[in-house]
Amino acid sequence: MTAPIARPHERIYLSPPHMSSDDRRRLLNAFDSNWVAPAGPDVDGFEGDFCNRFSVGHAVALSSGTAALHLALLAVGVKPGDDVLCSTLTFTATANAIRYCGAAPVFIDSERRSWNLDPALLEDELRERAAAGRRMPTAIVAVDVFGQCADYAAIAPLCRRYGVPLVVDAAESLGASGDG
């Protein structure tokens, strides 16, 4: 038996959204209560639930993952003219957020096991920069793709060793875990 062939112009979604009747009820409730923008009890509740679930003191819900990456990069000091190392296999938001800061994305290829940032190639880049006396990147953005966490057991120590802040884009892996 052969697989069905998609008809011309038929969309094949990577991850189609699932909207339940509860989602619809909540959406209409927010609309009817006039808490559509800029925030409201649902956003406050989401931030609180997030803090509880991940044992963190603070969380801020934003309008998009791109906005979150942009703010994270600004928070770690990325500015015009800087280099930011990032994964090759990512959504355009990663490079866009770096460019919004006026910095240049420097792509590090993915490793085969998870398709995430390759720690060995990251180490090569950082070591070569240090050996050549080149400026270190201002940040590293590791992107978790398809629910797979990057190898943070290898990446985080590299960031500490070279003094480069690590920004994690976990938009596709929220709730996943790696190495326990």
Side-chain angles (χ1 to χ4, degrees):
M1 180 173 178
T2 60
I5 298 174
R7 289 172 292 195
H9 308 291
E10 180 181 1
R11 289 183 181 228
I12 301 173
Y13 293 97
L14 176 63
S15 57
H18 170 74
M19 303 300 283
S20 70
S21 57
D22 188 49
D23 293 328
R24 178 178 169 75
R25 182 188 57 75
R26 288 175 181 266
L27 173 78
L28 292 174
N29 185 52
F31 185 83
D32 292 343
S33 68
N34 235 5
W35 278 111
V36 176
D42 288 333
V43 173
D44 295 341
F46 173 77
E47 291 170 343
D49 290 348
F50 189 94
C51 288
N52 292 334
R53 169 67 173 85
F54 296 103
S55 301
V56 296
H58 306 283
V60 178
L62 297 170
S63 62
S64 68
T66 307
L69 286 171
H70 186 194
L71 288 180
L73 291 169
L74 292 173
V76 299
V78 175
K79 57 192 177 314
D82 289 343
D83 285 345
V84 176
L85 305 184
C86 63
S87 309
T88 53
L89 184 57
T90 182
F91 187 67
T92 188
T94 309
N96 287 347
I98 294 166
R99 294 299 302 143
Y100 294 159
C101 295
V106 177
F107 295 100
I108 304 295
D109 210 352
S110 303
E111 49 93 14
R112 287 177 175 254
R113 185 181 54 79
S114 70
W115 299 356
N116 289 304
L117 182 68
D118 187 320
L121 295 176
L122 175 62
E123 184 173 21
D124 290 347
E125 176 70 18
L126 293 170
R127 187 183 325 108
E128 288 172 15
R129 283 175 181 250
R134 290 177 53 211
R135 184 179 59 169
M136 282 290 134
T138 307
I140 295 168
V141 180
V143 181
D144 298 340
V145 296
F146 307 123
Q148 299 291 316
C149 297
D151 185 356
Y152 295 110
I155 293 171
L158 290 172
C159 292
R160 286 191 295 274
R161 182 182 327 147
Y162 289 96
V164 181
L166 173 62
V167 172
V168 175
D169 177 352
E172 291 188 22
S173 66
L174 192 60
S177 63
D179 296 324

